[in-house]
Amino acid sequence: MTNIQFAKRLQPLKSNVFADMDRAKAIALATGREVIDLSLGSSDLPAEAHVIEAITQSLGDRTTHGYLLFNGTQGFREAAANWYEQKFGIKVEPQTEVLPLIGSQEGTAHLPLAILNPGDFALLLDPGYPSHAGGVYLASGQIYPMPLLAENGFLPVFADIPAPVLAQSRMMVLSYPHNPTAAIAPLSFFQEAVAFCQQHNLVLVHDFPYVDLVFEETGDWGKGSRGAEEQQSRGKSLMPHAPSLVPSILQADPKKSVSIEFFSLSKSYNMGGFRIGYAIGNAQLINALRQVKAAVDFNQYRGILNGAIAALTGPQAGVKSAVTTFQARRDAFISALHRIGWNVPTPQATMYIWAKLPSPWSENSVEFCTQLVKQTGVAVSPGAGFGKSGEGYVRFALVHEPPLLEIAVERMAEFLH
């Protein structure tokens, strides 16, 4: 058999938190377990009817069946720019400052190819979303993990980054509301990040898929931290155009000097399987990402873009309904955890619960998750799969209705006791 030599950049991609849990779920199913899957943040809610109708109407139009080049995406880019301007009050140029993407993950994974030379550092959140690291590895870059600690409100401390690392760094990736911790960040934090990146000549990337999954009432996630205090005391007054406690990075960098932000229709509009997202930001960064994208793929089917236009420009009641649904699930799940003695804080955003593991599992999240699904059929994501600083935690995705979530907690209670 031929000895095929693979690139070294594949080595760090061998381990993936979702792939690992998928194998564990398959084993549980093979033994006859009924699996309650809380490991993957894929919404179980349907896309809205007017979105589906726009896609359906497109199918019968033969002019939508061919390749779609950049100029053919103008309608979608205009809809995205208008959506952003209405939400955050910042002017966006659709021709040069917006780029359609096959989900925001495509953008975060491909942008490092446009920014990093081999050996350059990217500053990433730890824990953080796996594709952020994957894109850096594919670009042959190095990763400096910025630890996220509960005592800091799960916000990184820029002053802790070593000077030699900064000297070799080209980009920083942030993402708030945060996956997996569900933490949020105030505008003052983003202003600090923009100033830091301007000072050190860094590209500032903000992954923003949970822009709408925010619960307006104040939770207690990170209470007492600098992040939570500023959010509660200053957030609304500093963000007149934002609908909640969640700002856009461009509110801290309105001239788009160093920043690019990634959006997805997967969470707000329940369109994860349609693979549609977009980037907004610095025109040079948008153009660089467009160059990478042009070498990899064309755009999505035009009908999907028509559906996305309908989502962004049409009735927004479905977004509000989704937020209400996830808030009810959050409250039911948190209450059930508290009843079994697992006290976790209530997050203010996302579809996740980030829970510190009790003893004896506090330093072995992978083993906890493996044994939990094996013995109970409840699948969750180990914190260690999101980075070294995620060890000692697990992430629950609230992708089922409250009765099933409560059954999952009952099973976990038996497992823990």
Side-chain angles (χ1 to χ4, degrees):
M1 184 175 179
T2 304
N3 184 20
I4 301 175
Q5 299 294 315
F6 291 98
K8 293 179 180 179
R9 66 176 60 90
L10 286 183
Q11 292 299 317
L13 302 180
K14 287 185 176 180
S15 178
N16 180 285
V17 63
F18 302 124
D20 293 345
M21 283 311 301
D22 197 49
R23 284 189 289 271
K25 287 180 285 186
I27 293 171
L29 286 169
T31 62
R33 289 276 181 198
E34 177 195 5
V35 171
I36 302 177
D37 192 354
L38 308 181
S39 67
L40 188 63
S42 179
S43 176
D44 59 313
L45 304 178
E48 289 293 291
H50 67 279
V51 173
I52 301 302
E53 177 63 21
I55 298 172
T56 301
Q57 291 294 325
S58 301
L59 291 171
D61 179 0
R62 60 186 294 176
T63 66
T64 70
H65 296 179
Y67 290 128
L68 183 62
L69 301 181
F70 179 77
N71 285 337
T73 69
Q74 181 175 343
F76 172 73
R77 285 183 279 114
E78 290 176 350
N82 289 336
W83 175 92
Y84 182 87
E85 289 175 30
Q86 290 172 14
K87 196 172 190 71
F88 294 110
I90 295 174
K91 179 71 176 176
V92 175
E93 171 50 57
Q95 186 66 19
T96 59
E97 296 179 339
V98 183
L99 185 69
L101 298 168
I102 304 174
S104 61
Q105 182 167 326
E106 181 215 341
T108 57
H110 281 162
L111 185 63
L113 292 170
I115 303 300
L116 302 179
N117 290 312
D120 287 341
F121 271 98
L123 309 174
L124 305 187
L125 301 179
D126 176 22
Y129 191 64
S131 77
H132 298 166
V136 175
Y137 289 133
L138 288 175
S140 298
Q142 300 186 73
I143 291 173
Y144 179 80
M146 299 184 291
L148 305 184
L149 306 178
E151 55 262 36
N152 295 324
F154 294 105
L155 302 177
V157 179
F158 302 138
D160 291 345
I161 302 170
V165 171
L166 271 178
Q168 298 181 65
S169 297
R170 297 288 301 279
M171 64 187 295
M172 175 190 289
V173 181
L174 302 175
S175 184
Y176 291 96
H178 185 240
N179 179 11
T181 71
I184 62 176
L187 182 59
S188 57
F189 168 79
F190 286 121
Q191 291 168 333
E192 179 187 352
V194 169
F196 184 86
C197 289
Q198 290 172 335
Q199 177 185 354
H200 296 284
N201 197 28
L202 303 173
V203 170
L204 181 52
V205 181
H206 187 228
D207 195 10
F208 205 11
Y210 300 98
V211 55
D212 289 310
L213 286 189
V214 183
F215 313 121
E216 288 296 339
E217 94 295 359
T218 300
D220 58 11
W221 193 221
K223 187 176 289 183
S225 69
R226 65 186 177 106
E229 288 174 349
E230 292 180 47
Q231 289 153 11
Q232 292 165 16
S233 66
R234 301 177 60 197
K236 290 185 179 179
S237 65
L238 286 172
M239 290 174 277
H241 294 284
S244 68
L245 297 174
V246 176
S248 161
I249 195 69
L250 300 181
Q251 288 178 283
D253 186 14
K255 294 183 179 179
K256 310 179 188 76
S257 64
V258 294
S259 305
I260 185 170
E261 194 159 55
F262 293 106
F263 297 87
S264 170
L265 278 75
S266 297
K267 312 302 181 184
S268 300
Y269 299 98
N270 307 312
M271 295 179 68
F274 295 91
R275 307 312 304 135
I276 177 67
Y278 53 96
I280 290 179
N282 176 280
Q284 290 177 295
L285 293 174
I286 291 291
N287 185 60
L289 183 56
R290 180 182 168 187
Q291 289 178 275
V292 173
K293 184 177 176 63
V296 176
D297 61 65
F298 291 109
N299 294 284
Q300 295 91 328
Y301 168 55
R302 189 188 296 271
I304 291 177
L305 291 189
N306 290 340
I309 292 170
L312 294 172
T313 63
Q316 300 297 298
V319 178
K320 295 180 180 179
S321 176
V323 172
T324 299
T325 295
F326 282 110
Q327 182 172 337
R329 294 178 180 184
R330 177 203 65 176
D331 293 344
F333 194 74
I334 290 288
S335 295
L337 287 177
H338 287 181
R339 285 197 297 271
I340 69 170
W342 195 344
N343 293 315
V344 300
T346 303
Q348 293 174 270
T350 79
M351 57 173 64
Y352 306 114
I353 303 295
W354 185 242
K356 193 169 182 62
L357 281 168
S359 180
W361 305 99
S362 56
E363 296 299 326
N364 200 339
S365 59
V366 173
E367 183 65 15
F368 172 86
C369 293
T370 302
Q371 290 301 318
L372 181 68
V373 71
K374 179 180 178 181
Q375 296 183 35
T376 71
V378 177
V380 302
S381 292
F386 297 95
K388 181 180 178 182
S389 295
E391 184 56 279
Y393 290 84
V394 290
R395 190 198 72 176
F396 301 101
L398 303 175
V399 292
H400 295 289
E401 293 298 329
L404 198 56
L405 293 175
E406 291 173 351
I407 291 173
V409 174
E410 290 172 5
R411 293 187 188 180
M412 287 192 291
E414 296 175 4
F415 174 79
L416 290 169
H417 298 101

mmCIF file of all heavy atoms in Angstrom, residues 9 12-13 108-110 112 124 129-140 143:
data_model
loop_
_atom_site.group_PDB
_atom_site.id
_atom_site.type_symbol
_atom_site.label_atom_id
_atom_site.label_comp_id
_atom_site.label_asym_id
_atom_site.label_seq_id
_atom_site.Cartn_x
_atom_site.Cartn_y
_atom_site.Cartn_z
ATOM 1 N N ARG A 9 -0.165 20.270 8.988
ATOM 2 C CA ARG A 9 -1.245 21.100 9.515
ATOM 3 C C ARG A 9 -2.479 20.290 9.883
ATOM 4 O O ARG A 9 -3.370 20.784 10.578
ATOM 5 C CB ARG A 9 -1.614 22.193 8.518
ATOM 6 C CG ARG A 9 -2.228 21.719 7.219
ATOM 7 C CD ARG A 9 -2.655 22.890 6.339
ATOM 8 N NE ARG A 9 -1.533 23.754 5.993
ATOM 9 C CZ ARG A 9 -0.772 23.573 4.908
ATOM 10 N NH1 ARG A 9 -1.002 22.558 4.079
ATOM 11 N NH2 ARG A 9 0.209 24.395 4.656
ATOM 12 N N PRO A 12 -3.131 18.948 14.285
ATOM 13 C CA PRO A 12 -3.967 19.512 15.365
ATOM 14 C C PRO A 12 -5.465 19.444 15.071
ATOM 15 O O PRO A 12 -6.277 19.789 15.941
ATOM 16 C CB PRO A 12 -3.503 20.973 15.440
ATOM 17 C CG PRO A 12 -2.938 21.275 14.104
ATOM 18 C CD PRO A 12 -2.324 20.002 13.619
ATOM 19 N N LEU A 13 -5.855 19.025 13.866
ATOM 20 C CA LEU A 13 -7.272 18.944 13.521
ATOM 21 C C LEU A 13 -7.876 17.580 13.819
ATOM 22 O O LEU A 13 -9.065 17.370 13.627
ATOM 23 C CB LEU A 13 -7.457 19.258 12.034
ATOM 24 C CG LEU A 13 -6.951 20.622 11.544
ATOM 25 C CD1 LEU A 13 -7.205 20.777 10.056
ATOM 26 C CD2 LEU A 13 -7.607 21.760 12.322
ATOM 27 N N THR A 108 -14.702 32.686 9.720
ATOM 28 C CA THR A 108 -13.686 32.606 10.769
ATOM 29 C C THR A 108 -12.602 31.591 10.413
ATOM 30 O O THR A 108 -11.453 31.743 10.828
ATOM 31 C CB THR A 108 -14.314 32.233 12.124
ATOM 32 O OG1 THR A 108 -15.022 30.991 12.020
ATOM 33 C CG2 THR A 108 -15.274 33.318 12.581
ATOM 34 N N ALA A 109 -12.950 30.561 9.646
ATOM 35 C CA ALA A 109 -11.962 29.548 9.267
ATOM 36 C C ALA A 109 -11.077 30.007 8.116
ATOM 37 O O ALA A 109 -9.901 29.635 8.045
ATOM 38 C CB ALA A 109 -12.662 28.238 8.890
ATOM 39 N N HIS A 110 -11.612 30.833 7.210
ATOM 40 C CA HIS A 110 -10.856 31.243 6.032
ATOM 41 C C HIS A 110 -10.079 32.545 6.220
ATOM 42 O O HIS A 110 -9.060 32.763 5.550
ATOM 43 C CB HIS A 110 -11.789 31.392 4.833
ATOM 44 C CG HIS A 110 -12.143 30.090 4.193
ATOM 45 N ND1 HIS A 110 -13.228 29.940 3.349
ATOM 46 C CD2 HIS A 110 -11.546 28.872 4.261
ATOM 47 C CE1 HIS A 110 -13.290 28.682 2.935
ATOM 48 N NE2 HIS A 110 -12.282 28.027 3.475
ATOM 49 N N PRO A 112 -8.000 33.637 8.514
ATOM 50 C CA PRO A 112 -6.571 33.517 8.817
ATOM 51 C C PRO A 112 -5.697 33.286 7.586
ATOM 52 O O PRO A 112 -4.522 33.689 7.576
ATOM 53 C CB PRO A 112 -6.510 32.309 9.768
ATOM 54 C CG PRO A 112 -7.841 32.315 10.441
ATOM 55 C CD PRO A 112 -8.806 32.738 9.367
ATOM 56 N N LEU A 124 -6.557 33.898 20.579
ATOM 57 C CA LEU A 124 -7.888 33.289 20.603
ATOM 58 C C LEU A 124 -8.389 33.125 22.029
ATOM 59 O O LEU A 124 -7.606 32.962 22.970
ATOM 60 C CB LEU A 124 -7.868 31.909 19.932
ATOM 61 C CG LEU A 124 -7.346 31.809 18.499
ATOM 62 C CD1 LEU A 124 -7.579 30.397 17.961
ATOM 63 C CD2 LEU A 124 -8.019 32.832 17.594
ATOM 64 N N TYR A 129 -14.635 28.622 20.333
ATOM 65 C CA TYR A 129 -15.257 27.779 19.324
ATOM 66 C C TYR A 129 -14.174 27.102 18.482
ATOM 67 O O TYR A 129 -13.225 27.754 18.030
ATOM 68 C CB TYR A 129 -16.174 28.619 18.435
ATOM 69 C CG TYR A 129 -17.054 27.788 17.534
ATOM 70 C CD1 TYR A 129 -18.009 26.932 18.073
ATOM 71 C CD2 TYR A 129 -16.915 27.845 16.155
ATOM 72 C CE1 TYR A 129 -18.807 26.160 17.256
ATOM 73 C CE2 TYR A 129 -17.727 27.087 15.323
ATOM 74 C CZ TYR A 129 -18.667 26.236 15.884
ATOM 75 O OH TYR A 129 -19.459 25.474 15.077
ATOM 76 N N PRO A 130 -14.265 25.784 18.255
ATOM 77 C CA PRO A 130 -13.182 25.037 17.607
ATOM 78 C C PRO A 130 -12.759 25.539 16.236
ATOM 79 O O PRO A 130 -11.578 25.470 15.897
ATOM 80 C CB PRO A 130 -13.747 23.609 17.514
ATOM 81 C CG PRO A 130 -14.685 23.506 18.670
ATOM 82 C CD PRO A 130 -15.317 24.866 18.782
ATOM 83 N N SER A 131 -13.676 26.061 15.419
ATOM 84 C CA SER A 131 -13.287 26.482 14.072
ATOM 85 C C SER A 131 -12.358 27.688 14.096
ATOM 86 O O SER A 131 -11.615 27.925 13.131
ATOM 87 C CB SER A 131 -14.513 26.792 13.207
ATOM 88 O OG SER A 131 -15.074 28.042 13.536
ATOM 89 N N HIS A 132 -12.377 28.463 15.184
ATOM 90 C CA HIS A 132 -11.450 29.585 15.279
ATOM 91 C C HIS A 132 -10.012 29.074 15.275
ATOM 92 O O HIS A 132 -9.143 29.619 14.576
ATOM 93 C CB HIS A 132 -11.715 30.397 16.549
ATOM 94 C CG HIS A 132 -13.069 31.015 16.596
ATOM 95 N ND1 HIS A 132 -13.608 31.540 17.752
ATOM 96 C CD2 HIS A 132 -14.019 31.186 15.637
ATOM 97 C CE1 HIS A 132 -14.813 32.022 17.501
ATOM 98 N NE2 HIS A 132 -15.093 31.803 16.233
ATOM 99 N N ALA A 133 -9.758 28.035 16.040
ATOM 100 C CA ALA A 133 -8.417 27.440 16.062
ATOM 101 C C ALA A 133 -8.126 26.714 14.762
ATOM 102 O O ALA A 133 -7.012 26.775 14.234
ATOM 103 C CB ALA A 133 -8.296 26.481 17.244
ATOM 104 N N GLY A 134 -9.124 26.039 14.219
ATOM 105 C CA GLY A 134 -8.917 25.274 12.996
ATOM 106 C C GLY A 134 -8.442 26.142 11.846
ATOM 107 O O GLY A 134 -7.553 25.741 11.081
ATOM 108 N N GLY A 135 -9.000 27.331 11.712
ATOM 109 C CA GLY A 135 -8.586 28.224 10.642
ATOM 110 C C GLY A 135 -7.153 28.676 10.786
ATOM 111 O O GLY A 135 -6.421 28.830 9.794
ATOM 112 N N VAL A 136 -6.728 28.893 12.022
ATOM 113 C CA VAL A 136 -5.339 29.301 12.261
ATOM 114 C C VAL A 136 -4.385 28.167 11.900
ATOM 115 O O VAL A 136 -3.347 28.382 11.270
ATOM 116 C CB VAL A 136 -5.148 29.731 13.727
ATOM 117 C CG1 VAL A 136 -3.675 30.035 14.016
ATOM 118 C CG2 VAL A 136 -6.014 30.944 14.041
ATOM 119 N N TYR A 137 -4.746 26.941 12.293
ATOM 120 C CA TYR A 137 -3.896 25.794 11.961
ATOM 121 C C TYR A 137 -3.786 25.603 10.449
ATOM 122 O O TYR A 137 -2.714 25.292 9.928
ATOM 123 C CB TYR A 137 -4.441 24.536 12.609
ATOM 124 C CG TYR A 137 -4.281 24.482 14.109
ATOM 125 C CD1 TYR A 137 -5.347 24.123 14.937
ATOM 126 C CD2 TYR A 137 -3.058 24.797 14.707
ATOM 127 C CE1 TYR A 137 -5.202 24.076 16.317
ATOM 128 C CE2 TYR A 137 -2.913 24.759 16.087
ATOM 129 C CZ TYR A 137 -3.982 24.389 16.884
ATOM 130 O OH TYR A 137 -3.832 24.349 18.241
ATOM 131 N N LEU A 138 -4.892 25.775 9.740
ATOM 132 C CA LEU A 138 -4.866 25.624 8.284
ATOM 133 C C LEU A 138 -3.971 26.684 7.630
ATOM 134 O O LEU A 138 -3.401 26.446 6.559
ATOM 135 C CB LEU A 138 -6.279 25.712 7.710
ATOM 136 C CG LEU A 138 -7.191 24.510 7.983
ATOM 137 C CD1 LEU A 138 -8.592 24.778 7.455
ATOM 138 C CD2 LEU A 138 -6.628 23.240 7.350
ATOM 139 N N ALA A 139 -3.841 27.828 8.275
ATOM 140 C CA ALA A 139 -2.984 28.893 7.761
ATOM 141 C C ALA A 139 -1.541 28.755 8.248
ATOM 142 O O ALA A 139 -0.722 29.647 8.004
ATOM 143 C CB ALA A 139 -3.545 30.253 8.162
ATOM 144 N N SER A 140 -1.245 27.644 8.949
ATOM 145 C CA SER A 140 0.094 27.392 9.506
ATOM 146 C C SER A 140 0.507 28.466 10.505
ATOM 147 O O SER A 140 1.694 28.805 10.642
ATOM 148 C CB SER A 140 1.142 27.286 8.385
ATOM 149 O OG SER A 140 0.847 26.203 7.527
ATOM 150 N N ILE A 143 -1.148 29.628 17.817
ATOM 151 C CA ILE A 143 -2.245 30.111 18.655
ATOM 152 C C ILE A 143 -1.716 30.502 20.019
ATOM 153 O O ILE A 143 -0.975 29.737 20.656
ATOM 154 C CB ILE A 143 -3.333 29.040 18.803
ATOM 155 C CG1 ILE A 143 -4.061 28.840 17.473
ATOM 156 C CG2 ILE A 143 -4.321 29.410 19.909
ATOM 157 C CD1 ILE A 143 -5.030 27.687 17.479
#
